Amino acid sequence: FREGRALFAALVDDPAAEAHPRALAKALTAAADIEGWLGEPARAERLYLRALALARAAGDHARVVGLVRGLGTSALDCGDLD
């Protein structure tokens, strides 16, 4: 997963990615999932939130639902039960 982390980090941090918001939201979601699997829920949360903003702006309701689920998992992993 560490190699995937590096690849996705380079992709989502590339300024050119902003020109493709739907693809960027998908890449951010995958990057967040990897961070969660690697035990970095706070990093995952930041990526999920960035993807969520893009998904909402695009009206991608299915992705919004998945991202809210991911945020919930990250919150649980951080011990945030409120």
Side-chain angles (χ1 to χ4, degrees), residues 58-75:
D60 188 344
H61 303 294
R63 183 157 309 279
V64 167
V65 170
L67 290 162
V68 169
R69 182 231 24 104
L71 283 165
T73 299
S74 293

Side-chain angles (χ1 to χ4, degrees), residues 71-72 75-76 78-82:
L71 283 165
L76 289 171
C78 285
D80 183 4
L81 304 178
D82 292 327

Side-chain angles (χ1 to χ4, degrees), residues 12-63:
V12 301
D13 291 338
D14 183 342
E18 297 291 334
H20 308 282
R22 285 185 182 258
L24 179 55
K26 290 180 183 180
L28 286 162
T29 302
D33 289 342
I34 290 171
E35 292 297 342
W37 298 329
L38 287 172
E40 297 288 347
R43 284 185 185 178
E45 181 179 5
R46 286 191 299 273
L47 293 163
Y48 284 134
L49 286 171
R50 191 171 157 204
L52 182 60
L54 291 169
R56 283 185 170 151
D60 188 344
H61 303 294
R63 183 157 309 279

